[in-house]
Amino acid sequence: MSKIAFVFAGQGSQYPGMGQSLYNSSKEARRLFEMADAIRPGTSQQCFSGTKEELTRTVNTQPCLYMVDLAAARALVERGVRPVAAAGFSLGEVAALTFAGAFDDEDGFRLVCRRGQLMEEAAAQHPGSMAAVLKLSNEAVEELCGRFREIFPVNYNSAGQLVVAGSVEEMPAFCQAVSEAGGRAKQLAVGGGFHSPYMDEASRQLGEVLQGMSMMEPAIPVYANLTADRYAGDLKGILASQVNHPVRWEKTVQRMVADGVDTFVEVGPGKTLSGLIRRIAPQAACWQVENEETLAAAVAALAE
């Protein structure tokens, strides 16, 4: 029997119209969106008909993505698909923890709303840039980062794909250095230097928010971006530190496979994580659920 893990999509995968099909077809998804609208009026409207520009703002992106991620996961459970483990990429980690029972739905949503605010404020105070580096080893990228005062490796996505963050002023010269080293760098359309020291204040304030919240042990293992291992020990500290530390996605997937996971279902908008998992663990089965069509396909395949 397959050992299934749900992996929750992160910031950058959002798009106008996301979640509406789930809202229309799943009782659980509808309940979640109604809950979000009661706490943050207009959330479902932003997901279903917000503009690309509106959804790109971190303060909007994070609550909207959280809702679609969690709605997709709950729609799967509604149809009989239950995972044995979970992980999420950056913002997706909050949805994964909520799904696993570390927070109730309302607290998880309030937390992610505050997280989005704090990260947007930090980005405004310390403007940053991000770039995806391809075709170089992690070690080569780390060495290049070391030549610059404020360029940091932040998202270890897969072999040959590492995202860096840091100074707006230094990023063009860094990208040129990548090209000269035989790699390719693509600057990303983001509003800040996420998962870098530029987010130190957001991390500190998020830690304060978490201290005032109840956080339970997850009912199933949730693998942390910070450690690439199961959440254990200082749960709140791990989650707060995630904001200003690298996402170790490649090692996270490798650890999940080593622990017996053989099937991954990406829940939420887009196929970014599915693509990375196929490169990291080509032996694993991989599905993606973001709407009624992909939900039905995944449920049918996983029932076989």
Side-chain angles (χ1 to χ4, degrees), residues 92-206:
E93 191 164 287
V94 184
L97 286 164
T98 302
F99 175 81
F103 304 105
D104 64 31
D105 294 344
E106 292 82 358
D107 278 354
F109 184 67
R110 290 188 179 96
L111 175 64
V112 87
C113 289
R114 187 68 179 127
R115 184 181 187 271
Q117 291 170 348
L118 292 172
M119 291 177 73
E120 184 161 291
E121 289 169 6
Q125 292 168 2
H126 302 285
S129 179
M130 299 182 76
V133 180
L134 309 175
K135 300 184 178 180
L136 292 179
S137 69
N138 290 345
E139 294 75 16
V141 178
E142 289 167 345
E143 191 276 327
L144 287 173
C145 288
R147 301 181 192 177
F148 295 83
R149 190 170 64 89
E150 292 190 14
I151 300 290
F152 312 96
V154 295
N155 294 348
Y156 289 77
N157 290 346
S158 67
Q161 186 180 135
L162 199 165
V163 174
V164 304
S167 164
V168 172
E169 293 76 19
E170 288 188 324
M171 193 62 74
F174 172 81
C175 292
Q176 179 60 34
V178 167
S179 179
E180 291 170 357
R184 182 162 64 90
K186 178 183 178 183
Q187 288 194 242
L188 305 178
V190 295
F194 302 128
H195 296 285
S196 78
Y198 284 24
M199 292 290 119
D200 284 353
E201 181 61 15
S203 175
R204 184 190 68 78
Q205 291 189 55
L206 187 65

Side-chain angles (χ1 to χ4, degrees), residues 187-250:
Q187 288 194 242
L188 305 178
V190 295
F194 302 128
H195 296 285
S196 78
Y198 284 24
M199 292 290 119
D200 284 353
E201 181 61 15
S203 175
R204 184 190 68 78
Q205 291 189 55
L206 187 65
E208 292 179 354
V209 172
L210 283 162
Q211 287 310 310
M213 296 180 65
S214 175
M215 185 175 183
M216 308 296 290
E217 289 281 347
I220 60 173
V222 177
Y223 290 74
N225 291 176
L226 182 70
T227 63
D229 204 346
R230 300 180 183 203
Y231 260 84
D234 182 10
L235 307 184
K236 294 178 179 179
I238 292 171
L239 184 55
S241 295
Q242 183 234 51
V243 169
N244 64 336
H245 285 78
V247 174
R248 301 190 180 281
W249 188 251
E250 182 179 15

Side-chain angles (χ1 to χ4, degrees), residues 10-162:
Q11 198 162 334
S13 60
Q14 69 275 0
Y15 58 82
M18 63 181 185
Q20 184 154 22
S21 175
L22 293 169
Y23 176 91
N24 292 336
S25 60
S26 165
K27 182 179 178 180
E28 266 295 287
R30 182 182 293 265
R31 181 190 67 78
L32 284 169
F33 278 109
E34 289 173 351
M35 175 273 295
D37 284 338
I39 295 171
R40 180 181 181 271
T43 298
S44 59
Q45 185 70 12
Q46 280 187 335
C47 292
F48 305 159
S49 57
T51 64
K52 181 179 178 181
E53 291 72 25
E54 184 180 10
L55 286 170
T56 299
R57 284 195 61 198
T58 299
V59 72
N60 297 328
T61 310
Q62 295 203 14
C64 288
L65 266 178
Y66 169 94
M67 287 313 307
V68 182
D69 282 5
L70 196 56
R74 291 283 172 73
L76 277 162
V77 173
E78 195 175 43
R79 300 205 185 183
V81 179
R82 294 183 178 274
V84 299
F89 194 102
S90 189
L91 169 279
E93 191 164 287
V94 184
L97 286 164
T98 302
F99 175 81
F103 304 105
D104 64 31
D105 294 344
E106 292 82 358
D107 278 354
F109 184 67
R110 290 188 179 96
L111 175 64
V112 87
C113 289
R114 187 68 179 127
R115 184 181 187 271
Q117 291 170 348
L118 292 172
M119 291 177 73
E120 184 161 291
E121 289 169 6
Q125 292 168 2
H126 302 285
S129 179
M130 299 182 76
V133 180
L134 309 175
K135 300 184 178 180
L136 292 179
S137 69
N138 290 345
E139 294 75 16
V141 178
E142 289 167 345
E143 191 276 327
L144 287 173
C145 288
R147 301 181 192 177
F148 295 83
R149 190 170 64 89
E150 292 190 14
I151 300 290
F152 312 96
V154 295
N155 294 348
Y156 289 77
N157 290 346
S158 67
Q161 186 180 135
L162 199 165

